[in-house]
Amino acid sequence: MPACRHRSTVVFLVLAVALAAVGCGTKPAKKGGTRSIAQRLERAEKEATPEKQAAALVKIARQQLAAGDLSGARDTANRAFDRLKADGDAAIFAPRLGDVAAARGEVGDKKKAREAAALAGTRGAAIEDPVRRAQALAGAGGIAGDKEAGGDAALARDLLGKATAAADAADDRFRAEALAAVALGYPRAGIADAAADMVGRLEESARGVGEARAKAEALAAAADVRARSGQKDEAGKLVEEAAAAAKSVERAESRAYALLAVANAAVAAGDTKTALALLGEADKAADKVGDAQQRKIVVDKVRTRLAEVEKRQ
């Protein structure tokens, strides 16, 4: 056989094999497809700690739900819960269990959402620091009562009551931060009216806070609860007060987060125009964050929220 004919035959065979691999084999997995999800699940299981595994699994469960795979999303959410059933650092496990409870609610499994919220409350109650204890218990209480998640008002009230006690035990300097978490837990649980006394205490405590970001976020939390309770005028005044505090924050990253919190309160109060203005300022502050990784995180958060609020117009 002439050399040129031999080379042509080889080239033909190579092309034939390549075409067969593309046209006759398994189609490449689509983004978010079965093989892609399987690979993500495998990576999630290889995370170094149970809480990191659970966080990764919750993220995947939401991706599966978005893709229409309800059964797969439920299985993955349950796997996330399994990683957190054993004893661990309560300050880390409690918030993660809250995330799992929320995810279970999102996939329509309220009974299991309540199970995760209850365990989050149990773990949260073991946290030594009263502020973090209040935050964990309030988060669990909010999810427990959320009609889209646990839907258990009795469990919510119990957990939020414990969160209130934890906030009361906090040092004066940090009490507003703890009260803010508790105040926000009530409307999430669908019992905003029960937070009236808590909001009054939060406002009083917030006005005594010296640190600008903490003051802004506490006042924003109070505004949010007032708005969800139908007290729009009071909420609007609190938004103005919170915005003034947020704009006085010097550090760019902290200012961005403070403005984001106040913008969210403005949305709750029905003031989209103010929310957009605050988010614009938050975006400018976020863009000035020195650390590249932290800048990306805060910029993404602000711009994601900005896009959501713009759609409301």
Side-chain angles (χ1 to χ4, degrees):
M1 180 185 296
C4 61
R5 183 179 177 184
H6 175 72
R7 286 194 296 272
S8 297
T9 303
V10 171
V11 171
F12 172 79
L13 289 172
V14 170
L15 287 172
V17 170
L19 288 169
V22 173
C24 302
T26 302
K27 292 182 179 180
K30 295 180 180 179
K31 187 175 181 181
T34 304
R35 284 196 294 171
S36 177
I37 290 293
Q39 290 167 356
R40 293 176 198 176
L41 288 169
E42 185 178 354
R43 285 197 297 270
E45 298 289 0
K46 292 179 180 178
E47 289 286 352
T49 60
E51 65 271 13
K52 289 183 179 179
Q53 292 169 5
L57 288 167
V58 165
K59 183 177 180 180
I60 295 168
R62 288 181 169 131
Q63 292 169 343
Q64 290 173 297
L65 181 62
D69 183 6
L70 179 60
S71 176
R74 285 180 172 174
D75 288 343
T76 303
N78 290 337
R79 287 169 68 176
F81 178 73
D82 289 341
R83 298 299 176 276
L84 301 170
K85 287 194 296 186
D87 289 337
D89 186 336
I92 296 175
F93 273 38
R96 280 284 171 262
L97 282 162
D99 292 341
V100 173
R104 281 177 152 183
E106 289 165 23
V107 300
D109 199 336
K110 290 189 175 183
K111 182 178 179 180
K112 290 187 175 180
R114 289 194 294 272
E115 176 189 29
L119 186 55
T122 300
R123 295 283 187 269
I127 298 173
E128 291 187 12
D129 177 65
V131 175
R132 297 183 73 179
R133 183 164 70 250
Q135 291 170 333
L137 287 165
I143 295 167
D146 189 337
K147 291 181 181 180
E148 300 300 320
D152 189 333
L155 176 59
R157 288 179 185 277
D158 177 61
L159 292 171
L160 288 165
K162 291 176 180 176
T164 301
D168 288 339
D171 186 277
D172 290 344
R173 294 173 297 168
F174 310 114
R175 188 168 297 137
E177 183 181 356
L179 289 171
V182 180
L184 288 172
Y186 279 96
R188 180 167 188 183
I191 49 177
D193 291 344
D197 177 62
M198 177 62 61
V199 177
R201 294 176 57 200
L202 172 57
E203 290 174 18
E204 182 181 355
S205 181
R207 291 188 176 106
V209 174
E211 201 271 309
R213 176 181 173 180
K215 182 174 186 176
E217 292 179 346
L219 288 168
D224 189 290
V225 179
R226 291 286 188 197
R228 293 173 191 272
S229 300
Q231 301 170 34
K232 299 290 186 179
D233 290 341
E234 292 87 342
K237 292 175 183 177
L238 285 165
V239 166
E240 290 180 11
E241 198 173 344
K247 292 174 183 179
S248 72
V249 177
E250 293 184 5
R251 186 166 171 263
E253 183 178 359
S254 294
R255 185 164 66 257
Y257 279 117
L259 288 163
L260 175 59
V262 182
N264 286 333
V267 171
D271 190 348
T272 303
K273 182 178 178 181
T274 295
L276 288 172
L278 290 167
L279 286 167
E281 291 188 52
D283 189 39
K284 291 177 182 177
D287 205 38
K288 294 178 181 177
V289 175
D291 181 87
Q293 184 176 3
Q294 293 304 313
R295 181 170 62 251
K296 183 181 185 306
I297 292 172
V298 67
V299 165
D300 286 348
K301 287 182 178 180
V302 170
R303 291 182 182 173
T304 297
R305 187 56 172 151
L306 182 59
E308 292 171 350
V309 177
E310 285 176 336
K311 291 179 181 178
R312 293 170 177 257
Q313 289 184 300

